[in-house]
Amino acid sequence: MSDANAPWLVVGLGNPGPDYAANRHNVGFMVADLLAERIGGKFKRAQKAQAQLVEGRIGPPGPSGRRVVLAKPMSYMNLSGGPVTSLRDFYKVPTANIVAIHDELDIDYGALRLKLGGGDNGHNGLKSMTKSMGADYHRVRFGIGRPPGRMQVADFVLKDFSSTERKELAYLVDRTADAVECLVTEGLERAQSTYNS
């Protein structure tokens, strides 16, 4: 069990810059942006790492809320591990209190899966994080489905959500943010039983 007073580091994975903002690969950034809005913060460039940060509390108001650092690495997806490890060390966050929010090809669009540890399944952001600090962090996996026909995976993840997908996207991002809050405040089992689909 992790130290109850230790902060949480919640990392939305994505690529920086307006060209990538609406890509499937950037759904982690979308969820992080919504979480920042919910805690009343705005992302600012961190001095201590190549990332944008918001610090605040998730959960009920007052001391029972969990201290959280929300981060969006600005290093591009395949180098996410460096900024995340720097932030972990600076804030003294146990690896079990780190949450990566990311797109997942092997899950249908909009389905969610939460887990602790595991492989990277070819996801470059996870690959970089695991190489930097081991695999024992939480993942909140947002399903984007497989590419249609013969489209390459790299092309698919770097394309914007389709017009059909966008109809549900705001709701799904909102639900993913709820799942992250539940994970941080009530633990993995509760979050899995409520949100895994």
Side-chain angles (χ1 to χ4, degrees):
M1 195 64 196
S2 57
D3 171 5
N5 298 316
W8 283 75
L9 175 58
V10 175
V11 182
L13 292 179
N15 287 307
D19 292 349
Y20 299 101
N23 289 179
R24 292 182 177 93
H25 223 19
N26 270 42
V27 74
F29 275 17
M30 297 172 197
V31 176
D33 286 338
L34 179 57
L35 287 165
E37 204 179 292
R38 288 183 180 185
I39 64 176
K42 283 211 181 334
F43 276 101
K44 293 186 180 67
R45 194 72 191 216
Q47 302 305 315
K48 34 203 159 289
Q50 202 181 351
Q52 290 186 352
L53 294 185
V54 175
E55 295 181 53
R57 287 189 176 273
I58 282 179
S64 53
R66 302 267 187 219
R67 192 156 72 92
V68 70
V69 179
L70 295 174
K72 296 194 295 186
M74 292 286 116
S75 56
Y76 289 97
M77 182 70 86
N78 57 354
L79 299 171
S80 301
V84 176
T85 304
S86 297
L87 293 169
R88 177 199 66 180
D89 295 347
F90 181 85
Y91 287 101
K92 300 180 171 50
V93 179
T95 306
N97 278 22
I98 296 173
V99 181
I101 310 164
H102 64 93
D103 57 306
E104 177 62 63
L105 287 159
D106 284 341
I107 303 174
D108 290 341
Y109 174 66
L112 267 188
R113 299 270 165 76
L114 289 83
K115 69 175 190 169
L116 175 62
D120 57 57
N121 206 19
H123 192 288
N124 288 331
L126 297 181
K127 202 174 285 184
S128 177
M129 284 179 61
T130 298
K131 188 175 176 190
S132 291
M133 60 186 195
D136 297 331
Y137 54 90
H138 288 89
R139 296 98 191 279
V140 175
R141 303 153 72 206
F142 183 106
I144 59 169
R146 301 295 304 183
R150 296 186 177 185
M151 187 189 288
Q152 293 296 310
V153 165
D155 296 333
F156 180 69
V157 300
L158 294 176
K159 278 206 175 351
D160 292 357
F161 286 99
S162 69
S163 54
T164 308
E165 288 168 337
R166 283 198 298 271
K167 289 177 184 156
E168 278 190 292
L169 186 59
Y171 162 76
L172 295 169
V173 166
D174 192 67
R175 186 168 182 272
T176 308
D178 291 347
V180 173
E181 290 181 346
C182 182
L183 170 61
V184 169
T185 57
E186 299 185 58
L188 180 61
E189 275 185 36
R190 179 62 185 270
Q192 285 175 324
S193 66
T194 309
Y195 294 99
N196 272 13
S197 49

